[in-house]
Amino acid sequence: MATVKLMSDAEAEQIPEVKAVFDDIRKTRGTDFINNVWRALAYDPPGLKRTWDHLKSVMAVPGALDPKTREMIYIAVSAANGCGYCVHSHTAAARAQGMSEEEHGELIQIIGLAGMTNHLVTSLQVPLDPEFDVKTT
């Protein structure tokens, strides 16, 4: 259950800053759909704009990583951070970018393995091998 009321399109139309961000989301994504995270953030128009601008500057621009890979990374980080909403929304986005069931299965196995080995290394306080220290290679 959200801690704020999700802003409707009718309400957003009455707040120019929110309307502008919602319009940009629709244009950038090529859809009329505004997901709930933006509707929740809309009650803080400056925060909504700042968050959208930051997300757009990383996720919606050309770069060395293709869009599917970016979404798959977002899934992994969201799983590690325990954000179910983000796991679901970015899984849908990755599938829309062509992620196959096989790729999704491998991704989930890698996430699980990394979590397990991260916990083991952290618990054991294993010292870094000099060969892995980016300052010395």
Side-chain angles (χ1 to χ4, degrees), residues 22 25 29 33-40 85 89:
F22 279 20
I25 291 169
R29 293 184 167 171
F33 179 69
I34 301 293
N35 48 315
N36 285 340
V37 69
W38 304 114
R39 293 182 183 284
Y85 182 94
S89 67

Side-chain angles (χ1 to χ4, degrees), residues 72 99-109:
M72 291 172 75
M99 179 180 70
S100 68
E101 290 303 315
E102 293 79 17
E103 288 173 315
H104 186 242
E106 285 184 29
L107 174 64
I108 298 307
Q109 291 300 312

Side-chain angles (χ1 to χ4, degrees), residues 67-130:
K68 180 177 74 174
T69 300
R70 292 177 192 205
E71 294 296 346
M72 291 172 75
I73 292 168
Y74 218 115
I75 294 166
V77 173
S78 298
N81 287 329
C83 182
Y85 182 94
C86 293
V87 168
H88 282 270
S89 67
H90 289 280
T91 298
R95 286 181 173 144
Q97 292 293 335
M99 179 180 70
S100 68
E101 290 303 315
E102 293 79 17
E103 288 173 315
H104 186 242
E106 285 184 29
L107 174 64
I108 298 307
Q109 291 300 312
I110 292 167
I111 293 168
L113 175 64
M116 180 193 73
T117 58
N118 287 178
H119 288 298
L120 288 169
V121 170
T122 299
S123 298
L124 294 169
Q125 292 294 291
V126 177
L128 182 65
D129 296 273

